[in-house]
Amino acid sequence: MWTLVKRELSDVVIFLITIQIITITALAISGSYLFEALEDKPYGLPIHMYSILTIGGIILTWLASIFGCYQMQTDKTHKVSTFLCTLAATRQTILLSRIITGLIFTLLPIILTAIMFYIALQFHPRVFDLGQYSTILIKMFFTLTLLAITNYAFGLQLGLSFDKDQKQIDAGKFLLLLTAISLLLIILVYLKGIGLTCWMILLLLSTCSFWLLFNKYTKVPL
Amino acid sequence: MSERVIEIEHLTKYYDGRCVLDDLCLSIPRGSVYGLLGRNGVGKTTLIRILLGLEPPTRGRVKINQIEPQDLTALDRSKIGYVAEGHNLIQRYKVEKLINLCKDIAINWDNDIFKKLTDLFNIPMQRRVKELSTGMRAQLNLALSLSIDPEILILDDPSLGLDTVVRRQFLELAIEVIQKEGRTILFSSHILSDVERIADHIGILLGGQLVANCTLESLKDRVKKLRIIFSDQPPSTLYLTDVINQKIKHREMTLTIANYNEQKQRLIEAYYPESIDEIPLSLEDIFIECTDPQTVSLSA
């Protein structure tokens, strides 16, 4: 299994590094504004922190869906699974290793951001009380994680239906679809608000999507 | 020898409404070399893909090593070597990276065999797979397949695009595998001299069904081509069963017949021909006769 995960990671290493750079750069740019005291505090958070989390979240969830789609699309184009299936690997392990890589891709920037926020909140001279932000931050990061995973699952689904003979048409069509899905999920989060209902919906959507994907992938011709 | 390594029961496969395999039954005993023949598009690759679990069947049951393909575990898969038509490797990888991947995934990797093969083939490690010639890709694919010391080796038209020297090397290696006890090879090829050289069982696919499925000797024994000379114009038909092909030219009738026996010989003699001569048939001749759409079944 680890060999397959390693293979998946090596295939997407550029993608992986790019997203980390984007995340870290965004954080570095925003760092200087982060804790400026403002009157308007959505969810009790300073507006810049809130904006960065929101924009970062939108970008990350969108990228997660593209990443899922890219993984499956590359697999189809290069017939990677077809080859791996003729070695000592089953479809289940191939898919599982792909999902593990996807989760690493999705969770790593969130974890990095969370760690940086934590460090910044602890040591920034103008913010002394981490406690007043911790609950909402945990809730926001958890929602972001679920949102990114759901988007990633949808991306995988869409990538599996990629037709390599219609590469150009599908690439454009899929990009639009993925953007639409990401936007719909973000709207859902805004409408429902960060909380149990929203989490349950996202959890249900991602579970269903992974279950469908598993069923489809284990039966589809490779 | 009686143990069946591959068992196919009433296998049917449709592609876009077109029947590629039609109620096909086949079993391959352990330790045999099975040559699967057929013209382009008759379903040889589809059959192999179904066996490997790469393609689901529309109907029917398939078992490889007594396990249905979708239930094969990694350990079961590690006992099957496969050389795909067109050598389906990960093209964008460097040879070295691909080898390391296969080595890491393999449960039973024989480095000595692999080294011997790569030295013999002189495969450049730093080149990308897509930059290799067809011959080199075939050699690499074969080396990867043989290094896992497979119990079952499936070769789907492996010599396609290979030159004579490489093809000969390829066959010699396949023969080396056969010599190991209990190894089974399923071999599909268009180069019938290759099949004739290594196969002991032959299956000929036509119209989605096996029109021949028996040992090579039996096939050669059962299909006869006769040149019958009559004193006058030959009769339009001899009322024989299992006639594969019949041609009449002046006083001469050329007859290809399956399951030829004494009874059939007596029936022909009842027409008082001047002479009956047997024309020797190679596997290629039999294949051409058998792939005629009017062919009768020669299953064992």
Side-chain angles (χ1 to χ4, degrees):
Chain A
M1 170 68 92
W2 173 236
T3 308
L4 291 171
V5 175
K6 215 167 74 180
R7 191 207 69 78
E8 289 284 344
L9 280 171
S10 77
D11 272 13
V12 294
V13 70
I14 295 171
F15 218 126
L16 204 64
I17 291 169
T18 311
I19 186 67
Q20 305 313 319
I21 290 171
I22 291 172
T23 314
I24 291 161
T25 312
L27 281 168
I29 293 168
S30 61
S32 52
Y33 306 105
L34 197 58
F35 301 107
E36 275 178 22
L38 285 162
E39 294 302 313
D40 187 14
K41 291 188 174 180
Y43 287 106
L45 289 173
I47 189 75
H48 285 95
M49 188 191 285
Y50 177 78
S51 310
I52 287 154
L53 270 175
T54 310
I55 294 162
I58 291 169
I59 292 170
L60 181 71
T61 51
W62 184 66
L63 282 174
S65 67
I66 289 178
F67 180 70
C69 191
Y70 169 82
Q71 268 185 310
M72 278 299 182
Q73 184 265 114
T74 313
D75 180 271
K76 272 196 149 183
T77 312
H78 298 286
K79 293 186 172 177
V80 177
S81 290
T82 314
F83 176 69
L84 292 176
C85 261
T86 62
L87 307 175
T90 60
R91 289 187 189 215
Q92 288 86 344
T93 50
I94 295 167
L95 183 63
L96 202 60
S97 63
R98 189 157 300 153
I99 292 172
I100 290 171
T101 313
L103 293 182
I104 293 172
F105 172 89
T106 313
L107 297 181
L108 204 62
I110 297 174
I111 293 167
L112 273 179
T113 316
I115 291 169
M116 289 182 83
F117 266 81
Y118 178 77
I119 293 167
L121 278 167
Q122 266 210 326
F123 298 107
H124 198 280
R126 291 181 63 185
V127 182
F128 301 103
D129 184 15
L130 179 63
Q132 66 168 313
Y133 296 123
S134 62
T135 313
I136 188 62
L137 277 178
I138 288 168
K139 278 184 174 180
M140 282 192 90
F141 279 117
F142 185 64
T143 310
L144 195 58
T145 307
L146 281 179
L147 197 59
I149 290 173
T150 312
N151 264 289
Y152 171 68
F154 280 129
L156 282 175
Q157 282 268 19
L158 217 57
L160 193 58
S161 57
F162 184 85
D163 186 354
K164 65 182 166 63
D165 299 326
Q166 295 184 11
K167 224 186 246 180
Q168 301 301 327
I169 305 166
D170 276 0
K173 198 169 72 186
F174 281 12
L175 200 65
L176 274 173
L177 261 170
L178 290 170
T179 311
I181 290 169
S182 301
L183 280 173
L184 277 173
L185 287 175
I186 288 160
I187 290 168
L188 173 93
V189 173
Y190 270 88
L191 289 176
K192 288 286 168 194
I194 295 168
L196 197 63
T197 320
C198 168
W199 297 339
M200 291 305 284
I201 293 170
L202 289 175
L203 208 61
L204 192 71
L205 283 173
S206 57
T207 310
C208 286
S209 191
F210 279 127
W211 184 79
L212 279 173
L213 177 79
F214 186 82
N215 273 292
K216 200 173 166 188
Y217 183 78
T218 48
K219 289 181 181 78
V220 80
L222 291 176
Chain B
M1 191 68 181
S2 60
E3 192 195 336
R4 304 283 154 179
V5 169
I6 291 170
E7 283 179 281
I8 297 168
E9 290 170 20
H10 307 288
L11 176 67
T12 302
K13 178 71 186 177
Y14 278 88
Y15 266 128
D16 303 325
R18 188 173 73 93
C19 184
V20 180
L21 298 170
D22 184 13
D23 202 34
L24 188 137
C25 295
L26 165 69
S27 66
I28 301 176
R30 186 175 295 279
S32 62
V33 182
Y34 194 95
L36 184 64
L37 309 177
R39 296 183 65 185
N40 288 335
V42 292
K44 299 188 296 295
T45 300
T46 304
L47 177 63
I48 288 173
R49 282 173 52 79
I50 292 172
L51 269 174
L52 290 163
L54 298 174
E55 192 85 49
T58 309
R59 271 195 304 274
R61 244 162 52 125
V62 171
K63 279 185 178 180
I64 186 160
N65 251 346
Q66 283 148 13
I67 303 162
E68 293 197 10
Q70 70 272 18
D71 298 330
L72 287 171
T73 61
L75 184 66
D76 300 322
R77 287 190 179 275
S78 74
K79 294 172 187 165
I80 305 167
Y82 173 51
V83 178
E85 186 184 38
H87 319 295
N88 205 0
L89 306 164
I90 306 175
Q91 304 284 324
R92 65 199 170 121
Y93 276 17
K94 280 193 175 167
V95 174
E96 196 177 19
K97 186 179 174 185
L98 187 78
I99 291 167
N100 287 333
L101 174 71
C102 294
K103 208 186 280 187
D104 290 345
I105 292 177
I107 293 171
N108 186 22
W109 181 266
D110 191 330
N111 218 28
D112 293 337
I113 291 182
F114 185 74
K115 198 168 174 345
K116 190 180 136 192
L117 292 174
T118 42
D119 288 348
L120 174 75
F121 295 147
N122 204 13
I123 298 168
M125 295 290 165
Q126 290 310 315
R127 253 198 250 173
R128 285 187 194 280
V129 175
K130 65 181 171 196
E131 291 164 359
L132 298 178
S133 66
T134 314
M136 275 183 175
R137 273 207 296 274
Q139 289 167 328
L140 176 62
N141 202 348
L142 187 69
L144 292 171
S145 306
L146 292 182
S147 302
I148 58 165
D149 194 18
E151 272 180 27
I152 305 166
L153 184 61
I154 297 176
L155 308 169
D156 186 8
D157 218 344
S159 43
L160 192 76
L162 302 188
D163 65 42
T164 317
V165 178
V166 179
R167 228 181 69 219
R168 181 52 65 93
Q169 277 180 341
F170 200 96
L171 281 180
E172 277 164 7
L173 281 164
I175 290 167
E176 222 174 273
V177 174
I178 303 158
Q179 284 165 349
K180 290 186 181 175
E181 205 184 329
R183 299 294 190 263
T184 311
I185 298 183
L186 172 60
F187 183 35
S188 126
S189 179
H190 284 111
I191 301 165
L192 300 179
S193 56
D194 291 355
V195 178
E196 198 165 12
R197 197 155 167 249
I198 66 165
D200 51 30
H201 284 69
I202 297 290
I204 300 177
L205 263 176
L206 177 73
Q209 291 180 322
L210 276 175
V211 291
N213 178 26
C214 50
T215 62
L216 182 59
E217 294 83 49
S218 162
L219 184 68
K220 284 184 170 176
D221 233 35
R222 285 156 73 180
V223 180
K224 300 287 179 200
K225 192 170 187 175
L226 306 170
R227 184 188 293 119
I228 310 165
I229 311 284
F230 290 89
S231 51
D232 210 345
Q233 181 69 23
S236 57
T237 174
L238 298 177
Y239 298 103
L240 293 169
T241 54
D242 301 342
V243 173
I244 293 171
N245 214 338
Q246 180 184 298
K247 278 178 192 152
I248 297 172
K249 196 177 177 187
H250 309 301
R251 293 190 303 128
E252 185 185 304
M253 175 188 270
T254 318
L255 192 72
T256 312
I257 188 164
N259 303 319
Y260 187 62
N261 53 25
E262 273 182 34
Q263 197 188 355
K264 284 179 181 169
Q265 191 181 341
R266 278 201 296 274
L267 273 168
I268 297 170
E269 283 167 353
Y271 289 91
Y272 301 108
E274 271 186 5
S275 63
I276 306 172
D277 297 314
E278 194 182 316
I279 305 166
L281 284 174
S282 66
L283 180 62
E284 192 166 317
D285 298 324
I286 297 173
F287 174 73
I288 290 167
E289 299 288 350
C290 282
T291 47
D292 188 290
Q294 289 168 5
T295 298
V296 295
S297 177
L298 300 173
S299 295

